[in-house]
Amino acid sequence: MFARIRSVVIVGAGLALLTSPLVAQTWSPEQQAVMAVVEMTWVENDAGWVTNLTHPEMLGWSNNNPMPRNQATTQRWSDHGLESSTGLMHSLAPVGITIRGETAVVHYYASVSAEDSDGKRETTTTRCTDTLTKEGEAWLYLGWFCFDEPSEGN
């Protein structure tokens, strides 16, 4: 009986490893440079990333926005967010980074803890796909789409 349970556990663990993205991946220097830009956009309480790290023609969309936002609108909403909440911490977990020429696509999870103006704390987990373009030596955001992970019970 124990041999059968052990076999089921081993097969289950093997399937989980084969079907799950590997968190401890090795990224090339160029992939690391792209991910460093992604990381800079998540720095708590800093709206300067919009003008510093996005292409003027960028469009970003998340599931809580009715439509994609351009650079100017993203800047206004980012400034507003700083007035109504405080970022406490975040962590990012890349699951895929591909680069072709001057274009990079990054898939990752983001967990963010924030506190609103009433002192209520909330942690959210989001899946994101970001597209960056290389301008000279700098990687800039051209677009992204993020959506919240479903909460338990949904």
Side-chain angles (χ1 to χ4, degrees):
M1 169 131 176
F2 287 112
R4 188 168 199 285
I5 292 172
R6 189 178 77 185
S7 296
V8 169
V9 170
I10 290 171
V11 169
L15 286 173
L17 285 173
L18 291 173
T19 59
S20 301
L22 298 176
V23 175
Q25 295 185 31
T26 301
W27 305 107
S28 72
E30 193 73 355
Q31 289 171 316
Q32 291 175 35
V34 169
M35 195 61 207
V37 173
V38 171
E39 181 71 40
M40 284 188 271
T41 66
W42 289 89
V43 171
E44 288 82 18
N45 311 310
D46 178 15
W49 70 270
V50 177
T51 54
N52 295 330
L53 299 174
T54 63
H55 189 278
E57 297 175 29
M58 61 78 49
L59 285 176
W61 202 358
S62 61
N63 66 337
N64 57 355
N65 307 130
M67 56 196 297
R69 293 178 175 166
N70 64 18
Q71 189 183 53
T73 304
T74 299
Q75 183 66 62
R76 284 194 309 273
W77 278 100
S78 188
D79 291 340
H80 170 71
L82 291 178
E83 295 170 6
S84 60
S85 68
T86 300
L88 302 174
M89 64 180 294
H90 74 275
S91 62
L92 304 181
V95 293
I97 304 171
T98 187
I99 300 172
R100 173 123 174 123
E102 307 298 310
T103 304
V105 176
V106 183
H107 299 287
Y108 61 97
Y109 286 93
S111 292
V112 178
S113 178
E115 183 175 87
D116 67 17
S117 57
D118 295 327
K120 180 183 172 200
R121 291 184 177 195
E122 182 179 27
T123 300
T124 58
T125 301
T126 305
R127 290 188 214 180
C128 293
T129 297
D130 299 349
T131 303
L132 293 87
T133 185
K134 197 166 191 181
E135 296 278 323
E137 294 301 310
W139 285 102
L140 299 174
Y141 271 84
L142 189 58
W144 64 83
F145 180 76
C146 294
F147 59 97
D148 293 342
E149 280 286 286
S151 60
E152 258 185 60
N154 288 341

